[in-house]
Amino acid sequence: MKKLFVLGMAIMMAGAISACNAGNKTANESVSTEAQTDSKKADTSESADSKKADESKAADSKKEDVSFPEFSAKTVEGGEISNDVFKDSKLTVVNVWGSWCGPCVQEIPELQKLSENMKDKNVNVIGIAQDAGSNFQAVKEVLDKSKVTYQNIIPSGPTEDFVMSLQAFPTTFFVDSQGKIVYAIQGSKNLEGFTQIVDDLLSKM
């Protein structure tokens, strides 16, 4: 879990439109202590040597093969889903979001368009609705309003732990057919932004 968190933080892309800080969630949805500590350490790093060390670590972490956490869960639509879903597509866009997060909700229609546009390129889109377990109706309303057809996971167990370790929402992971995370971003994107990232990743596969 810690290894995955470090990887995610290391490869976050600059220029994201906007994001909700995990600290804005309610107390029972707070981010893990370990994640908060790691973030504070990163924010207070001021020396040139520290910055160089951080850049070196980030470069190294990009080279690591890190798998998306194993999961077996239910979807908002009532179906079953697991890591096996990655095998069916060349690339899977996994968007972690919450109904309480404005930027998350705003990008849902963009992800729906991405899902429709990328089917011919064997690209799948999956959502993980952070608060689906505690506020199912709110999540369902967001999805229904945007006429979402791609699957959305209700996090539980290890999947919920993983989601709660994230520092900001939305966070989006790009996962290959082997279940390896090949890229990740924090903050919302529009259709053009997502398309550019996906096309770039596909060109390297």
Side-chain angles (χ1 to χ4, degrees):
M1 184 64 66
K2 184 176 181 181
K3 183 179 180 182
L4 179 57
F5 172 77
V6 171
L7 174 75
M9 293 303 292
I11 62 178
M12 292 307 167
M13 231 177 94
I17 298 172
S18 56
C20 296
N21 190 293
N24 291 336
K25 295 183 290 183
T26 56
N28 65 335
E29 296 172 339
S30 61
V31 72
S32 69
T33 302
E34 179 182 0
Q36 290 175 333
T37 301
D38 287 344
S39 179
K40 289 177 182 178
K41 287 180 180 177
D43 291 340
T44 56
S45 177
E46 298 177 352
S47 69
D49 290 341
S50 295
K51 290 180 180 179
K52 289 181 181 179
D54 289 342
E55 290 173 358
S56 177
K57 289 179 181 178
D60 289 341
S61 66
K62 292 181 185 180
K63 300 175 184 177
E64 296 179 9
D65 287 333
V66 179
S67 298
F68 196 86
E70 291 189 13
F71 66 89
S72 179
K74 289 190 175 295
T75 67
V76 172
E77 300 79 15
E80 301 283 343
I81 190 170
S82 71
N83 293 68
D84 288 341
V85 70
F86 297 131
K87 299 177 183 178
D88 298 330
S89 304
K90 189 170 185 179
L91 184 70
T92 302
V93 181
V94 183
N95 177 254
V96 187
W97 65 285
S99 67
W100 49 269
C101 170
C104 297
V105 174
Q106 291 172 12
E107 78 171 358
I108 293 293
E110 303 298 288
L111 287 162
Q112 175 60 30
K113 294 175 186 175
L114 182 74
S115 175
E116 296 168 359
N117 293 350
M118 288 292 173
K119 285 182 179 179
D120 291 341
K121 294 185 178 182
N122 198 19
V123 175
N124 190 25
V125 177
I126 293 174
I128 300 181
Q130 179 268 330
D131 57 333
S134 60
N135 203 355
F136 181 85
Q137 191 56 41
V139 168
K140 192 70 166 58
E141 287 177 2
V142 170
L143 297 175
D144 288 346
K145 184 176 181 180
S146 296
K147 298 180 180 180
V148 171
T149 58
Y150 60 85
Q151 294 174 300
N152 274 266
I153 296 170
I154 302 174
S156 61
T159 310
E160 185 174 19
D161 292 339
F162 165 65
V163 169
M164 299 308 291
S165 75
L166 300 178
Q167 291 293 287
F169 295 84
T171 294
T172 304
F173 297 90
F174 299 81
V175 185
D176 68 15
S177 61
Q178 302 301 312
K180 305 293 185 183
I181 297 174
V182 295
Y183 203 65
I185 58 172
Q186 278 187 341
S188 62
K189 288 282 184 183
N190 56 23
L191 176 61
E192 182 180 1
F194 278 123
T195 301
Q196 182 177 353
I197 294 171
V198 170
D199 283 341
D200 182 58
L201 291 173
L202 289 176
S203 70
K204 299 173 183 177
M205 290 180 167

mmCIF file of all heavy atoms in Angstrom, residues 1-12 22 31-40 42 61 64 66-67 69 161-168 171 173 181 184 186:
data_model
loop_
_atom_site.group_PDB
_atom_site.id
_atom_site.type_symbol
_atom_site.label_atom_id
_atom_site.label_comp_id
_atom_site.label_asym_id
_atom_site.label_seq_id
_atom_site.Cartn_x
_atom_site.Cartn_y
_atom_site.Cartn_z
ATOM 1 N N MET A 1 0.818 -1.203 0.000
ATOM 2 C CA MET A 1 0.000 0.000 0.000
ATOM 3 C C MET A 1 0.852 1.252 0.000
ATOM 4 O O MET A 1 0.630 2.174 -0.753
ATOM 5 C CB MET A 1 -0.921 -0.014 1.231
ATOM 6 C CG MET A 1 -1.883 1.171 1.259
ATOM 7 S SD MET A 1 -3.035 1.147 -0.135
ATOM 8 C CE MET A 1 -3.963 -0.320 0.252
ATOM 9 N N LYS A 2 1.887 1.284 0.865
ATOM 10 C CA LYS A 2 2.754 2.457 0.931
ATOM 11 C C LYS A 2 3.480 2.659 -0.383
ATOM 12 O O LYS A 2 3.639 3.771 -0.871
ATOM 13 C CB LYS A 2 3.744 2.311 2.075
ATOM 14 C CG LYS A 2 4.625 3.547 2.253
ATOM 15 C CD LYS A 2 5.530 3.385 3.457
ATOM 16 C CE LYS A 2 6.390 4.652 3.644
ATOM 17 N NZ LYS A 2 7.290 4.512 4.803
ATOM 18 N N LYS A 3 3.926 1.537 -0.988
ATOM 19 C CA LYS A 3 4.646 1.606 -2.252
ATOM 20 C C LYS A 3 3.767 2.205 -3.331
ATOM 21 O O LYS A 3 4.208 3.022 -4.128
ATOM 22 C CB LYS A 3 5.082 0.196 -2.656
ATOM 23 C CG LYS A 3 5.918 0.154 -3.928
ATOM 24 C CD LYS A 3 6.324 -1.283 -4.218
ATOM 25 C CE LYS A 3 7.166 -1.369 -5.483
ATOM 26 N NZ LYS A 3 7.534 -2.759 -5.804
ATOM 27 N N LEU A 4 2.505 1.810 -3.377
ATOM 28 C CA LEU A 4 1.580 2.316 -4.365
ATOM 29 C C LEU A 4 1.315 3.789 -4.142
ATOM 30 O O LEU A 4 1.263 4.574 -5.086
ATOM 31 C CB LEU A 4 0.269 1.533 -4.305
ATOM 32 C CG LEU A 4 -0.814 1.979 -5.287
ATOM 33 C CD1 LEU A 4 -0.268 1.901 -6.695
ATOM 34 C CD2 LEU A 4 -2.038 1.096 -5.158
ATOM 35 N N PHE A 5 1.166 4.209 -2.881
ATOM 36 C CA PHE A 5 0.916 5.608 -2.573
ATOM 37 C C PHE A 5 2.074 6.472 -3.047
ATOM 38 O O PHE A 5 1.889 7.516 -3.654
ATOM 39 C CB PHE A 5 0.718 5.791 -1.072
ATOM 40 C CG PHE A 5 0.642 7.248 -0.650
ATOM 41 C CD1 PHE A 5 -0.514 7.975 -0.858
ATOM 42 C CD2 PHE A 5 1.728 7.880 -0.080
ATOM 43 C CE1 PHE A 5 -0.575 9.308 -0.499
ATOM 44 C CE2 PHE A 5 1.672 9.205 0.277
ATOM 45 C CZ PHE A 5 0.517 9.918 0.069
ATOM 46 N N VAL A 6 3.303 6.023 -2.776
ATOM 47 C CA VAL A 6 4.492 6.771 -3.176
ATOM 48 C C VAL A 6 4.560 6.885 -4.689
ATOM 49 O O VAL A 6 4.865 7.945 -5.233
ATOM 50 C CB VAL A 6 5.772 6.078 -2.651
ATOM 51 C CG1 VAL A 6 7.011 6.737 -3.241
ATOM 52 C CG2 VAL A 6 5.822 6.176 -1.129
ATOM 53 N N LEU A 7 4.245 5.802 -5.398
ATOM 54 C CA LEU A 7 4.251 5.841 -6.845
ATOM 55 C C LEU A 7 3.247 6.853 -7.365
ATOM 56 O O LEU A 7 3.548 7.670 -8.226
ATOM 57 C CB LEU A 7 3.921 4.466 -7.425
ATOM 58 C CG LEU A 7 3.756 4.468 -8.950
ATOM 59 C CD1 LEU A 7 5.114 4.579 -9.623
ATOM 60 C CD2 LEU A 7 3.030 3.247 -9.429
ATOM 61 N N GLY A 8 2.041 6.813 -6.809
ATOM 62 C CA GLY A 8 1.001 7.724 -7.252
ATOM 63 C C GLY A 8 1.401 9.173 -7.073
ATOM 64 O O GLY A 8 1.191 10.006 -7.939
ATOM 65 N N MET A 9 2.020 9.486 -5.931
ATOM 66 C CA MET A 9 2.439 10.854 -5.670
ATOM 67 C C MET A 9 3.584 11.263 -6.577
ATOM 68 O O MET A 9 3.697 12.415 -6.981
ATOM 69 C CB MET A 9 2.878 11.004 -4.203
ATOM 70 C CG MET A 9 1.744 10.842 -3.201
ATOM 71 S SD MET A 9 0.386 12.010 -3.483
ATOM 72 C CE MET A 9 1.208 13.555 -3.061
ATOM 73 N N ALA A 10 4.443 10.308 -6.925
ATOM 74 C CA ALA A 10 5.623 10.621 -7.723
ATOM 75 C C ALA A 10 5.288 10.953 -9.162
ATOM 76 O O ALA A 10 5.971 11.763 -9.784
ATOM 77 C CB ALA A 10 6.594 9.439 -7.685
ATOM 78 N N ILE A 11 4.207 10.335 -9.702
ATOM 79 C CA ILE A 11 3.944 10.531 -11.117
ATOM 80 C C ILE A 11 2.738 11.411 -11.397
ATOM 81 O O ILE A 11 2.234 11.449 -12.501
ATOM 82 C CB ILE A 11 3.767 9.178 -11.825
ATOM 83 C CG1 ILE A 11 2.566 8.421 -11.274
ATOM 84 C CG2 ILE A 11 5.008 8.352 -11.714
ATOM 85 C CD1 ILE A 11 2.310 7.112 -11.972
ATOM 86 N N MET A 12 2.285 12.185 -10.396
ATOM 87 C CA MET A 12 1.155 13.059 -10.625
ATOM 88 C C MET A 12 1.522 14.122 -11.659
ATOM 89 O O MET A 12 2.564 14.745 -11.587
ATOM 90 C CB MET A 12 0.730 13.758 -9.328
ATOM 91 C CG MET A 12 0.136 12.802 -8.317
ATOM 92 S SD MET A 12 -1.199 11.821 -9.004
ATOM 93 C CE MET A 12 -1.365 10.601 -7.726
ATOM 94 N N ALA A 22 -8.323 15.831 0.257
ATOM 95 C CA ALA A 22 -8.917 14.781 1.079
ATOM 96 C C ALA A 22 -9.314 15.311 2.448
ATOM 97 O O ALA A 22 -10.215 14.793 3.087
ATOM 98 C CB ALA A 22 -7.934 13.617 1.240
ATOM 99 N N VAL A 31 -8.266 10.935 5.494
ATOM 100 C CA VAL A 31 -7.171 10.200 4.878
ATOM 101 C C VAL A 31 -6.311 9.583 5.967
ATOM 102 O O VAL A 31 -6.300 10.054 7.104
ATOM 103 C CB VAL A 31 -6.342 11.149 3.993
ATOM 104 C CG1 VAL A 31 -5.542 12.105 4.820
ATOM 105 C CG2 VAL A 31 -5.433 10.379 3.042
ATOM 106 N N SER A 32 -5.589 8.524 5.644
ATOM 107 C CA SER A 32 -4.792 7.820 6.626
ATOM 108 C C SER A 32 -3.704 8.697 7.223
ATOM 109 O O SER A 32 -3.197 9.609 6.587
ATOM 110 C CB SER A 32 -4.143 6.595 5.978
ATOM 111 O OG SER A 32 -3.169 7.001 5.056
ATOM 112 N N THR A 33 -3.327 8.417 8.488
ATOM 113 C CA THR A 33 -2.285 9.169 9.166
ATOM 114 C C THR A 33 -0.970 9.063 8.433
ATOM 115 O O THR A 33 -0.238 10.032 8.294
ATOM 116 C CB THR A 33 -2.111 8.638 10.601
ATOM 117 O OG1 THR A 33 -3.349 8.736 11.278
ATOM 118 C CG2 THR A 33 -1.048 9.447 11.332
ATOM 119 N N GLU A 34 -0.682 7.881 7.923
ATOM 120 C CA GLU A 34 0.576 7.680 7.213
ATOM 121 C C GLU A 34 0.644 8.571 5.983
ATOM 122 O O GLU A 34 1.666 9.188 5.702
ATOM 123 C CB GLU A 34 0.701 6.217 6.782
ATOM 124 C CG GLU A 34 1.982 5.938 6.010
ATOM 125 C CD GLU A 34 2.057 4.489 5.554
ATOM 126 O OE1 GLU A 34 1.123 3.742 5.840
ATOM 127 O OE2 GLU A 34 3.061 4.140 4.927
ATOM 128 N N ALA A 35 -0.467 8.669 5.245
ATOM 129 C CA ALA A 35 -0.487 9.495 4.044
ATOM 130 C C ALA A 35 -0.325 10.967 4.401
ATOM 131 O O ALA A 35 0.358 11.721 3.712
ATOM 132 C CB ALA A 35 -1.802 9.272 3.285
ATOM 133 N N GLN A 36 -0.989 11.420 5.478
ATOM 134 C CA GLN A 36 -0.878 12.805 5.892
ATOM 135 C C GLN A 36 0.547 13.137 6.281
ATOM 136 O O GLN A 36 1.073 14.206 5.949
ATOM 137 C CB GLN A 36 -1.816 13.059 7.083
ATOM 138 C CG GLN A 36 -3.295 13.028 6.710
ATOM 139 C CD GLN A 36 -4.177 13.165 7.934
ATOM 140 O OE1 GLN A 36 -3.792 12.809 9.043
ATOM 141 N NE2 GLN A 36 -5.359 13.691 7.729
ATOM 142 N N THR A 37 1.190 12.224 6.983
ATOM 143 C CA THR A 37 2.567 12.448 7.407
ATOM 144 C C THR A 37 3.497 12.563 6.213
ATOM 145 O O THR A 37 4.345 13.444 6.142
ATOM 146 C CB THR A 37 3.049 11.288 8.312
ATOM 147 O OG1 THR A 37 2.184 11.207 9.438
ATOM 148 C CG2 THR A 37 4.480 11.544 8.783
ATOM 149 N N ASP A 38 3.319 11.661 5.231
ATOM 150 C CA ASP A 38 4.160 11.706 4.039
ATOM 151 C C ASP A 38 3.973 13.016 3.295
ATOM 152 O O ASP A 38 4.922 13.596 2.785
ATOM 153 C CB ASP A 38 3.799 10.550 3.098
ATOM 154 C CG ASP A 38 4.289 9.219 3.637
ATOM 155 O OD1 ASP A 38 5.152 9.235 4.540
ATOM 156 O OD2 ASP A 38 3.828 8.178 3.151
ATOM 157 N N SER A 39 2.721 13.513 3.226
ATOM 158 C CA SER A 39 2.441 14.752 2.516
ATOM 159 C C SER A 39 3.093 15.942 3.200
ATOM 160 O O SER A 39 3.659 16.820 2.561
ATOM 161 C CB SER A 39 0.920 14.965 2.438
ATOM 162 O OG SER A 39 0.637 16.166 1.782
ATOM 163 N N LYS A 40 3.005 15.998 4.539
ATOM 164 C CA LYS A 40 3.597 17.103 5.279
ATOM 165 C C LYS A 40 5.102 17.146 5.105
ATOM 166 O O LYS A 40 5.711 18.200 4.975
ATOM 167 C CB LYS A 40 3.247 16.986 6.764
ATOM 168 C CG LYS A 40 1.784 17.287 7.060
ATOM 169 C CD LYS A 40 1.482 17.088 8.534
ATOM 170 C CE LYS A 40 0.005 17.347 8.828
ATOM 171 N NZ LYS A 40 -0.307 17.101 10.256
ATOM 172 N N ALA A 42 6.725 16.120 2.524
ATOM 173 C CA ALA A 42 7.021 16.598 1.176
ATOM 174 C C ALA A 42 6.866 18.106 1.082
ATOM 175 O O ALA A 42 7.653 18.796 0.441
ATOM 176 C CB ALA A 42 6.095 15.913 0.165
ATOM 177 N N SER A 61 10.857 5.690 -9.140
ATOM 178 C CA SER A 61 9.554 5.073 -8.892
ATOM 179 C C SER A 61 8.778 4.878 -10.180
ATOM 180 O O SER A 61 7.970 3.972 -10.300
ATOM 181 C CB SER A 61 8.739 5.918 -7.905
ATOM 182 O OG SER A 61 8.400 7.158 -8.465
ATOM 183 N N GLU A 64 9.345 1.468 -11.668
ATOM 184 C CA GLU A 64 8.877 0.293 -10.958
ATOM 185 C C GLU A 64 7.570 -0.221 -11.549
ATOM 186 O O GLU A 64 6.716 0.540 -11.969
ATOM 187 C CB GLU A 64 8.669 0.619 -9.474
ATOM 188 C CG GLU A 64 9.940 0.989 -8.740
ATOM 189 C CD GLU A 64 9.662 1.320 -7.285
ATOM 190 O OE1 GLU A 64 8.528 1.089 -6.827
ATOM 191 O OE2 GLU A 64 10.579 1.807 -6.622
ATOM 192 N N VAL A 66 4.290 -1.501 -10.651
ATOM 193 C CA VAL A 66 3.405 -1.575 -9.498
ATOM 194 C C VAL A 66 2.002 -1.942 -9.963
ATOM 195 O O VAL A 66 1.440 -1.294 -10.843
ATOM 196 C CB VAL A 66 3.372 -0.240 -8.731
ATOM 197 C CG1 VAL A 66 2.418 -0.336 -7.545
ATOM 198 C CG2 VAL A 66 4.768 0.126 -8.256
ATOM 199 N N SER A 67 1.452 -2.967 -9.381
ATOM 200 C CA SER A 67 0.129 -3.436 -9.766
ATOM 201 C C SER A 67 -0.960 -2.677 -9.021
ATOM 202 O O SER A 67 -0.773 -2.245 -7.890
ATOM 203 C CB SER A 67 -0.016 -4.933 -9.458
ATOM 204 O OG SER A 67 0.910 -5.698 -10.199
ATOM 205 N N PRO A 69 -4.057 -2.441 -6.728
ATOM 206 C CA PRO A 69 -4.428 -3.326 -5.612
ATOM 207 C C PRO A 69 -5.490 -4.356 -6.018
ATOM 208 O O PRO A 69 -6.438 -4.022 -6.722
ATOM 209 C CB PRO A 69 -4.982 -2.353 -4.565
ATOM 210 C CG PRO A 69 -4.317 -1.066 -4.870
ATOM 211 C CD PRO A 69 -4.190 -1.023 -6.366
ATOM 212 N N ASP A 161 -9.494 0.851 1.728
ATOM 213 C CA ASP A 161 -8.259 1.328 2.347
ATOM 214 C C ASP A 161 -7.413 2.089 1.337
ATOM 215 O O ASP A 161 -6.843 3.141 1.642
ATOM 216 C CB ASP A 161 -7.449 0.147 2.900
ATOM 217 C CG ASP A 161 -8.137 -0.531 4.083
ATOM 218 O OD1 ASP A 161 -8.995 0.115 4.714
ATOM 219 O OD2 ASP A 161 -7.813 -1.700 4.353
ATOM 220 N N PHE A 162 -7.322 1.552 0.134
ATOM 221 C CA PHE A 162 -6.561 2.194 -0.926
ATOM 222 C C PHE A 162 -7.139 3.562 -1.272
ATOM 223 O O PHE A 162 -6.420 4.561 -1.367
ATOM 224 C CB PHE A 162 -6.559 1.289 -2.162
ATOM 225 C CG PHE A 162 -6.123 1.979 -3.424
ATOM 226 C CD1 PHE A 162 -4.824 2.452 -3.556
ATOM 227 C CD2 PHE A 162 -7.001 2.158 -4.472
ATOM 228 C CE1 PHE A 162 -4.418 3.092 -4.724
ATOM 229 C CE2 PHE A 162 -6.611 2.793 -5.631
ATOM 230 C CZ PHE A 162 -5.316 3.254 -5.761
ATOM 231 N N VAL A 163 -8.453 3.615 -1.438
ATOM 232 C CA VAL A 163 -9.123 4.869 -1.770
ATOM 233 C C VAL A 163 -8.897 5.918 -0.690
ATOM 234 O O VAL A 163 -8.625 7.091 -0.966
ATOM 235 C CB VAL A 163 -10.633 4.630 -1.979
ATOM 236 C CG1 VAL A 163 -11.392 5.955 -2.048
ATOM 237 C CG2 VAL A 163 -10.866 3.834 -3.254
ATOM 238 N N MET A 164 -8.975 5.500 0.574
ATOM 239 C CA MET A 164 -8.835 6.439 1.674
ATOM 240 C C MET A 164 -7.394 6.917 1.855
ATOM 241 O O MET A 164 -7.145 7.869 2.581
ATOM 242 C CB MET A 164 -9.334 5.787 2.974
ATOM 243 C CG MET A 164 -10.804 5.376 2.932
ATOM 244 S SD MET A 164 -11.901 6.719 2.407
ATOM 245 C CE MET A 164 -11.760 7.802 3.807
ATOM 246 N N SER A 165 -6.440 6.264 1.200
ATOM 247 C CA SER A 165 -5.048 6.694 1.306
ATOM 248 C C SER A 165 -4.727 7.837 0.357
ATOM 249 O O SER A 165 -3.669 8.467 0.463
ATOM 250 C CB SER A 165 -4.105 5.519 1.019
ATOM 251 O OG SER A 165 -4.048 5.228 -0.363
ATOM 252 N N LEU A 166 -5.632 8.121 -0.574
ATOM 253 C CA LEU A 166 -5.375 9.161 -1.561
ATOM 254 C C LEU A 166 -5.464 10.552 -0.931
ATOM 255 O O LEU A 166 -6.264 10.782 -0.030
ATOM 256 C CB LEU A 166 -6.372 9.043 -2.718
ATOM 257 C CG LEU A 166 -6.335 7.703 -3.477
ATOM 258 C CD1 LEU A 166 -7.400 7.689 -4.557
ATOM 259 C CD2 LEU A 166 -4.960 7.465 -4.079
ATOM 260 N N GLN A 167 -4.661 11.478 -1.436
ATOM 261 C CA GLN A 167 -4.587 12.823 -0.882
ATOM 262 C C GLN A 167 -5.575 13.797 -1.502
ATOM 263 O O GLN A 167 -5.867 14.840 -0.927
ATOM 264 C CB GLN A 167 -3.168 13.372 -1.063
ATOM 265 C CG GLN A 167 -2.119 12.673 -0.200
ATOM 266 C CD GLN A 167 -2.340 12.936 1.275
ATOM 267 O OE1 GLN A 167 -2.085 14.021 1.774
ATOM 268 N NE2 GLN A 167 -2.849 11.947 1.978
ATOM 269 N N ALA A 168 -6.054 13.503 -2.698
ATOM 270 C CA ALA A 168 -6.959 14.424 -3.383
ATOM 271 C C ALA A 168 -7.884 13.645 -4.315
ATOM 272 O O ALA A 168 -7.567 12.541 -4.753
ATOM 273 C CB ALA A 168 -6.159 15.467 -4.162
ATOM 274 N N THR A 171 -8.672 11.277 -8.407
ATOM 275 C CA THR A 171 -7.380 10.725 -8.791
ATOM 276 C C THR A 171 -7.657 9.644 -9.836
ATOM 277 O O THR A 171 -8.564 8.837 -9.651
ATOM 278 C CB THR A 171 -6.631 10.118 -7.595
ATOM 279 O OG1 THR A 171 -6.279 11.156 -6.670
ATOM 280 C CG2 THR A 171 -5.356 9.425 -8.047
ATOM 281 N N PHE A 173 -6.077 6.596 -12.369
ATOM 282 C CA PHE A 173 -4.985 5.678 -12.667
ATOM 283 C C PHE A 173 -5.195 5.074 -14.050
ATOM 284 O O PHE A 173 -6.331 4.807 -14.449
ATOM 285 C CB PHE A 173 -4.929 4.554 -11.629
ATOM 286 C CG PHE A 173 -4.631 5.036 -10.236
ATOM 287 C CD1 PHE A 173 -5.666 5.396 -9.378
ATOM 288 C CD2 PHE A 173 -3.323 5.144 -9.782
ATOM 289 C CE1 PHE A 173 -5.396 5.851 -8.090
ATOM 290 C CE2 PHE A 173 -3.048 5.598 -8.504
ATOM 291 C CZ PHE A 173 -4.083 5.957 -7.657
ATOM 292 N N ILE A 181 0.015 -0.321 -13.077
ATOM 293 C CA ILE A 181 -0.258 1.109 -13.194
ATOM 294 C C ILE A 181 0.838 1.727 -14.051
ATOM 295 O O ILE A 181 2.011 1.685 -13.694
ATOM 296 C CB ILE A 181 -0.293 1.793 -11.816
ATOM 297 C CG1 ILE A 181 -1.436 1.237 -10.980
ATOM 298 C CG2 ILE A 181 -0.435 3.305 -11.962
ATOM 299 C CD1 ILE A 181 -1.476 1.753 -9.555
ATOM 300 N N ALA A 184 -0.608 8.026 -13.605
ATOM 301 C CA ALA A 184 -1.639 8.484 -12.671
ATOM 302 C C ALA A 184 -1.640 9.998 -12.614
ATOM 303 O O ALA A 184 -0.606 10.645 -12.796
ATOM 304 C CB ALA A 184 -1.388 7.915 -11.277
ATOM 305 N N GLN A 186 -3.644 13.505 -10.474
ATOM 306 C CA GLN A 186 -4.585 14.064 -9.505
ATOM 307 C C GLN A 186 -5.247 15.271 -10.156
ATOM 308 O O GLN A 186 -4.619 16.011 -10.895
ATOM 309 C CB GLN A 186 -3.856 14.519 -8.243
ATOM 310 C CG GLN A 186 -3.559 13.411 -7.258
ATOM 311 C CD GLN A 186 -2.983 13.940 -5.966
ATOM 312 O OE1 GLN A 186 -2.478 15.051 -5.906
ATOM 313 N NE2 GLN A 186 -3.026 13.147 -4.916
#
